[in-house]
Amino acid sequence: MNCPKCGENMQEGFLQTAKIVAFNKTRHKISLNPKDDEDVMITRKAFSGTDFQGFICKKCGLIVFDYKNSISRI
């Protein structure tokens, strides 16, 4: 996949995380719950992590992943 930002080839892999991941329109001190319709709770795993298949551009730092199709780890 080519990077939509800079056009370079992106490396395929996994974005791995533990516990909570949220994408918020504005910064919140604690991102436990979406504050409005534009905030998105991506994952909330208290005791296990989650993997997201995606791509990273090592040149410009952009990461692209599908947050609706996570791979839960045991």
Side-chain angles (χ1 to χ4, degrees):
M1 174 177 179
N2 289 338
C3 178
K5 185 175 176 183
C6 73
E8 290 292 316
N9 191 38
M10 298 182 84
Q11 178 182 331
E12 187 172 6
F14 296 89
L15 176 66
Q16 297 180 292
T17 182
K19 301 191 181 186
I20 297 169
V21 177
F23 186 88
N24 300 316
K25 183 178 177 184
T26 60
R27 286 186 174 178
H28 304 297
K29 248 186 174 177
I30 301 174
S31 297
L32 299 178
N33 292 306
K35 303 292 188 238
D36 59 40
D37 290 341
E38 294 186 26
D39 291 346
V40 178
M41 179 59 64
I42 295 173
T43 186
R44 181 182 295 157
K45 303 281 185 175
F47 302 105
S48 65
T50 301
D51 298 321
F52 299 94
Q53 193 164 10
F55 298 87
I56 187 169
C57 179
K58 290 186 175 181
K59 181 178 180 183
C60 71
L62 184 69
I63 297 174
V64 178
F65 66 96
D66 181 356
Y67 73 89
K68 290 189 177 182
N69 292 308
S70 67
I71 304 165
S72 294
R73 293 181 286 158
I74 297 173

